[in-house]
Amino acid sequence: MSEEQRPIAVISDLSQVVEQQQLGEATSQVQYVSQGHCLVIGDVDTALEAGRYFPNSHYTIVSVNPDAVRIDKQLTDEGVAVFTVPSLSLSGHLGAWRAQVSVLDGEMFDLAVSVYRESGFFDLVLDLSAEPLMPMRLVPFGYVHLGNPDAASLEDAVAALSELTGEFDKPRYFHYEADICAHSRSELDGCNQCIDVCATDAIRSDGERISVDPFLCQGCGSCATVCPSGAMSYAFPRPVDAVDRTRRSLQNEGASIIVLHTEAEEERIEQMNLPDDVLALLVEEVSAFGPDYWLAMLAGPARHICLVMDVPADDPGRLAIETQLRWVGVLMSDLGVPELPVTLLAPEKLEAWLRRIMAGTDGSTLLGGIDPQWFDTHNDKRQTLRLALDALSEQLLPAEPRTALPKGAPFGQIKVDTDACTLCMACVSTCPARALQDGQDTPALRFVEANCLQCGLCESACPESAITLKARYTWDSVQARRIETLHEEKPFHCARCHTPFTTQSMIDTMTEKLAGHWMFQNEKAVRRLKLCGDCRVRDMFEEDAAGIRTHKDNG
């Protein structure tokens, strides 16, 4: 059974975990209810062999045969239902697995209903197919895939699944604020980073926001790490609790080196006899601790942070951290710290890394000379990042007032082609962070760099392709928060009432684009474009019978 697809222990006493890991306060919980009935998918003979290990014949067998022309159901002498189906659609989680077969006219035949499951679901799934039906890296609770099983592995798998009978609680790991999410506006695609990095397929697009299935989420925290706005945050622990916990521990222990690890590495790390200057912190998931946490620690009492992860190179959590390390490394380099003091390591490399750090041969010892800053993060990711970088830059002066960042970094500016921009304000209406603002009483496009997420919604919304993104960081927070005018024009006044309602460039663009339209082939129709909304309506009612045609003449 692979590491990724073994049944994962479900937390049943959340308060004990909160106390053990000093998490501040518990998050809410979700509950799984399983009666232990298993769906066994695969070759019938192998599935029947696995079934011998299930107590009281609490299982159903389904064999997928693409050559089958219909759904065939038989019963064994023990009363076990055995289905042969042409295809199978599987979805769900522990206690709520749905297995469906497509039949005529797109209707779905539900196997659980057909075997009279009162809940309408199967509780567990043992997948004996050559290729797993649930291909994600972190499969849902209650699912095990065995591609080529022998008797011993079958017995072990059934024993592990059989333990998942009863009621189980799990933390609701995430907190989501839709109002500041940059996923979508006006049916335009923006930020998809949380969806792309989710290892469980728990995050889906839901129109202008995203939705998270708390039963599929396993708390890896990668979504919170890559989220540029803080709309998605980790709730177990909350960012503010994680920062406070670490600060207290560093202060109490007199340590300056942080080693973050999970329970999987705890025994190995306990045997290392770590130096007094090292604080080893047990966390739920290392990938949940992102740049806001790192920088808050480095601006405070920490000199180094080591992230211990024993995962493959293509693990989503690892990729999420590596992406963030790239732009954080650029910023630290501009502060005169040549080697990034945040390191991602496999467990077996930790001792050698610590020896080098303790010997002072690394390039980040400059951090040891700064005065730690103890600021309140207010559980706000953007504010934490800005406060931490302010604290660092005040003591480690940056080489330049602005630092160019790699694409995908959550800070930057936008460039506007003023010759193409018509001040239509489509970009303003789609901006989720109020980085772009209108001129209120005057036709103008204004920008607050500190708010910009580099999500790209403004670029997508611009009908004139006048906007481009440029990732960078402005060190002066006062300068970054100033309102900058990107483009401004004199207002165009209504030709009838003289009320300002648009710009000259917008009138020119509309006139040019509608020049060939059949409704705008006379002077009166073109003049109507130069009227405000109220005057345009009045003009239409005042037009005599021989005036502008409002319907195309088919003759």
Side-chain angles (χ1 to χ4, degrees), residues 177-185 190-191 208 228-229 231 427-436 451-458:
E177 292 186 49
D179 291 345
I180 59 173
C181 179
H183 172 58
S184 176
R185 291 289 190 281
C191 176
E208 293 198 348
S229 67
C427 56
V428 173
S429 65
T430 59
C431 180
R434 285 192 53 79
L436 285 167
N451 294 350
C452 183
L453 307 174
Q454 294 285 287
C455 65
L457 280 169
C458 59

Side-chain angles (χ1 to χ4, degrees), residues 363-380:
S364 58
T365 52
L366 188 60
L367 286 175
I370 69 170
D371 293 328
Q373 303 296 306
W374 305 81
F375 49 84
D376 194 339
T377 67
H378 298 289
N379 217 41
D380 184 313

Side-chain angles (χ1 to χ4, degrees), residues 200-217:
T200 63
D201 287 353
I203 306 178
R204 303 289 176 90
S205 176
D206 187 17
E208 293 198 348
R209 58 184 64 188
I210 56 98
S211 63
V212 186
D213 187 333
F215 291 94
L216 294 182
C217 173

Side-chain angles (χ1 to χ4, degrees), residues 424-451:
C424 68
M425 298 302 158
C427 56
V428 173
S429 65
T430 59
C431 180
R434 285 192 53 79
L436 285 167
Q437 303 172 13
D438 61 31
Q440 297 183 348
D441 297 331
T442 184
L445 178 62
R446 294 180 175 146
F447 178 65
V448 181
E449 184 170 332
N451 294 350

